[in-house]
Amino acid sequence: MTSPAADKPLILSVDDDPGVSRAVVRDLRRRYGADYRILRAESGPSALAALREVKLRGQQVAVLIADFRMPGMDGIEFLEQAMDLHPFARRVLLTAYADTTAAINAINVVDLDHYLLKPWDPPEEKLYPVLDGLLEAWRGDEQRPVHGTKVIGTRWSPACSQVREFLARNQLPYRWYPADEPEGATLLAAAGKDISCCPVVITADGEPLVQPTDGELAERVGLNTTPAGEFYDLIVVGGGPAGLGAAVYGASEGLRTVLVERTATGGQAGQSSRIENYLGFPDGVSGGQLADRARRQAGKFGAELVTTREVVGLEVNGSARTVRFADGGRLCAHTVIIATGVDYRRHPARGVDEFTGRGVYYGSAMTEAAECAGHEVYIVGGANSAGQAAVFLSRNAGRVHLVVRADSLDKSMSHYLVQQIAGIPNIEVHTCTEVIAADGDDHLRGIVLRDNETGREEKAETERLFLFIGAAPQTDWLEGTIARDPAGFVLAGPDLTPEGGRPAGWELSRAPHHLETSVPGVFVAGDVHAESAKRVASAVGEGAMAVMFVHRYLA
C-alpha cells in the first residue's frame, strides 16, 4: 500500500556534488515539504531509474531540477530523457555563470522552463519565487494521476482481452493503455519491456507483470487465492448468485464456510449490465454491483472467498467430502454445495474460434463497450443476458443487431426486456437468423448471416460480435461421482429416482433431500441443477435452501 508521502507530487533534484545536492533538498523541504515529496539523486541514470518507478506507480512529477555539469550524463541529456517519462513536469537547469549560453540553448532542446545560477542564496529571493511560479503553472494544467492497476496491450489480442475481463469481473479498477499509443509506449519503456511482451500489467505498487496468468494476477492485486484452513463445515464450489447466496447463509448461520471460484464471483449474472426484475431493486442493479455486495456480505459474516482455484475432482473419504484442485491441492469439509453455474456454449460457425478475443467475445459486453462507440455491433442470443447486453450497448453503438434463431424474443426473454428493446430505435432484431461464418484479418471484419426461413445468406461488416448462446454445465469433474442428466446437469432429490425410493449406491436409510445429489452431504444449487429456472432470484433462493439441507445433514 502506498504511503501518504508517496501520494504527494514529486520535486526531484539531480546533482553529482553531494554538498550541493543536500543544500538543494534542504531548501526545497523547508518551503515545499508539506505539500510535495522531495527526492534527490546524484546522477542522471539513477534519477531516471527513480522516475521510471514513479511512472509505473502512477505518481505525478511537478518539477525536475538538474545540474548542467554532471559526468556521464549532463543535465540537458537527463531532462531530455525525463521528458519522455513525465512530459508535464516543469524543468529547471542549475548552471554556473560560465554556462549560461548552454542553458539558453537548452530552452530549445528540452523546452526548459527556467535556469538558475549557482549559488542562489538567499533562496527566499532567488529560488522560491521561481519555483512558486512554476508550481502554480503546473497545478493549473490538467494533471490527472493514475493510481492503481494499469494494463498495456494491443487492441486485438485475446490475451489482453482476457486480462481486462478478469480485472473487470473481479471489480478491480484498472486503466487501459494501447501499446501503440504514446502513453502506453512510455509505460512499456519505463518497465523495460516492448510490445512483444504484452499484455503487461503494472500493479499499484509499480510492479510490472508480463503476460500474467489469472492466478498470478490475483495474487498481485490482492485477491485471496489460498484457503486459510484445511477442513470446513461447508465448501461452496462456484461464485455465481447461487454460490454467493449459499456462502452468505452458511456463514451467517455459523458454518465454517469457504467459497472456491475459478475466475470471478458473479458468474454469468455478474456480466449483466442491468438486472431490473430482481427483488428489492426497483431501479435495477448491474450484475457486477449485485455480486460485489454479495461478496462483501459473505465476508462480513466470516465466509472465506478463494479465487482462481479450479476444482477438478470430488472424493468421498468416509464422512469427509474432498475437492481436488487443478494445481494438485485439496480441501476437505463435512459438506459441499455445487454451484458452478453454466458457461456459454461455443459457437460452431466457421471462423468464430479463430477470432475469439479479437472481435468475437463470449459475454464481455461491459468490458468492450467503450470500443463500440458509433459502430455496428452484433449480438447472438435470445435470453435475458443477450437482451441486457443489447440495451446496454445501444447507448453508444451506432446500431445493435440482435440475432436470434427463434421466431420471437418472447419465447426465452423476460417481457420487460422485450418491451425495452422494442422501444429503442437503434436496436434491430433479426429473428429466424443465425451466424454461419466469421471473417477478418488480424481481427474480425465481418460475419455471414443466414435467414433460416428463406435460406438467404448475407454478409455484414462488423468488428464486434458478442455471443450469449445456450447453457453448458462444466461438470466433467463430477464424472463417476455425481449423477447427472444426459446434458451434464446435476440431478438431485426427487429427480434422482422419479419412481421414488433411494438412488443406486445410496447408503443412508432416508431418501435424498430436495437439493441433495447422489452422494450424501453433497448438494447442488443454481443453474447447474437439472431443470433449474435460470434466473438470478431462483439461484440465490436455491443457495439459501441448500444451506438449510446442509444443517439437516449435519444434524
Side-chain angles (χ1 to χ4, degrees), residues 175-261:
R175 185 162 177 179
W176 164 249
Y177 294 89
D180 57 356
E181 294 184 3
E183 187 68 5
T186 300
L187 283 167
L188 280 179
K193 310 299 177 186
D194 59 36
I195 197 168
S196 66
C197 298
C198 291
V200 174
V201 178
I202 310 297
T203 68
D205 293 329
E207 179 187 10
L209 307 176
V210 178
Q211 300 174 5
T213 65
D214 287 351
E216 291 169 340
L217 196 52
E219 289 181 2
R220 297 303 197 280
V221 297
L223 295 177
N224 182 32
T225 61
T226 305
E230 296 180 355
F231 198 96
Y232 293 81
D233 293 322
L234 170 63
I235 298 172
V236 181
V237 183
L244 288 168
V248 167
Y249 281 93
S252 67
E253 294 175 10
L255 298 176
R256 290 169 299 165
T257 302
V258 59
L259 182 151
V260 181
E261 167 56 43

Side-chain angles (χ1 to χ4, degrees), residues 5 32 61 74 85 104 109 115 177 212 222 239 244 263 284 306 309 315 341 355 424 428 466 479 484 496 527:
Y32 306 108
V61 177
D74 65 29
L85 291 167
I104 294 171
V109 175
Y115 67 88
Y177 294 89
L244 288 168
T263 304
V306 177
R309 296 298 292 274
E315 299 174 358
F355 293 107
I424 299 176
E428 182 177 349
F466 298 95
E479 178 69 35
R484 300 171 295 159
L496 287 167
D527 289 359

Side-chain angles (χ1 to χ4, degrees), residues 340-343 345 471-476 484-485 487-490 527-528:
T340 48
V342 295
D343 284 345
R345 283 193 295 106
Q474 303 301 306
T475 56
D476 289 346
R484 300 171 295 159
D485 69 11
F489 291 92
V490 175
D527 289 359
V528 74

Side-chain angles (χ1 to χ4, degrees), residues 151-465:
V151 180
I152 308 116
T154 51
R155 198 176 308 278
W156 301 111
S157 161
C160 295
S161 176
Q162 181 179 336
V163 164
R164 296 171 66 191
E165 183 73 5
F166 176 83
L167 292 171
R169 291 187 61 188
N170 279 287
Q171 299 288 301
L172 297 168
Y174 71 92
R175 185 162 177 179
W176 164 249
Y177 294 89
D180 57 356
E181 294 184 3
E183 187 68 5
T186 300
L187 283 167
L188 280 179
K193 310 299 177 186
D194 59 36
I195 197 168
S196 66
C197 298
C198 291
V200 174
V201 178
I202 310 297
T203 68
D205 293 329
E207 179 187 10
L209 307 176
V210 178
Q211 300 174 5
T213 65
D214 287 351
E216 291 169 340
L217 196 52
E219 289 181 2
R220 297 303 197 280
V221 297
L223 295 177
N224 182 32
T225 61
T226 305
E230 296 180 355
F231 198 96
Y232 293 81
D233 293 322
L234 170 63
I235 298 172
V236 181
V237 183
L244 288 168
V248 167
Y249 281 93
S252 67
E253 294 175 10
L255 298 176
R256 290 169 299 165
T257 302
V258 59
L259 182 151
V260 181
E261 167 56 43
R262 180 182 59 183
T263 304
T265 52
Q268 283 190 0
Q271 300 180 67
S272 296
S273 56
R274 205 77 181 161
I275 303 170
E276 297 191 51
N277 61 348
Y278 188 70
L279 185 66
F281 292 89
D283 298 321
V285 61
S286 76
Q289 290 173 325
L290 190 63
D292 180 59
R293 293 180 183 185
R295 181 170 53 242
R296 288 188 282 113
Q297 192 174 18
K300 182 186 79 169
F301 289 121
E304 285 184 45
L305 272 62
V306 177
T307 57
T308 64
R309 296 298 292 274
E310 183 179 3
V311 176
V312 295
L314 175 66
E315 299 174 358
V316 177
N317 297 305
S319 62
R321 305 293 178 259
T322 302
V323 296
R324 290 185 289 106
F325 297 128
D327 61 6
R330 54 184 56 216
L331 196 60
C332 299
H334 291 300
T335 59
V336 173
I337 294 177
I338 301 167
T340 48
V342 295
D343 284 345
Y344 294 115
R345 283 193 295 106
R346 311 308 292 180
H347 200 293
R350 174 181 57 80
V352 165
D353 286 347
E354 178 184 351
F355 293 107
T356 297
R358 298 191 293 130
V360 175
Y361 305 96
Y362 288 88
S364 305
M366 296 184 70
T367 308
E368 295 292 328
E371 306 290 343
C372 297
H375 293 285
E376 299 269 329
V377 174
Y378 282 77
I379 298 172
V380 177
N384 279 10
S385 54
Q388 290 159 353
V391 171
F392 177 70
L393 292 175
S394 68
R395 300 171 189 171
N396 295 310
R399 193 162 190 80
V400 176
H401 300 264
L402 187 56
V403 180
V404 293
R405 297 177 64 179
D407 58 6
S408 169
L409 292 176
D410 297 313
K411 294 183 177 180
S412 55
M413 191 177 292
S414 293
H415 180 65
Y416 83 91
L417 264 177
V418 176
Q419 288 185 311
Q420 279 189 21
I421 288 171
I424 299 176
N426 66 330
I427 297 181
E428 182 177 349
V429 180
H430 304 263
T431 58
C432 301
T433 304
E434 61 183 306
V435 174
I436 61 170
D439 297 298
D441 38 48
D442 65 322
H443 67 279
L444 181 72
R445 295 287 188 178
I447 58 176
V448 180
L449 301 170
R450 181 175 65 202
D451 186 321
N452 288 334
E453 288 187 322
T454 65
R456 181 173 174 269
E457 296 182 3
E458 177 184 359
K459 292 184 178 180
E461 291 185 4
T462 184
E463 294 184 329
R464 292 291 190 288
L465 173 65

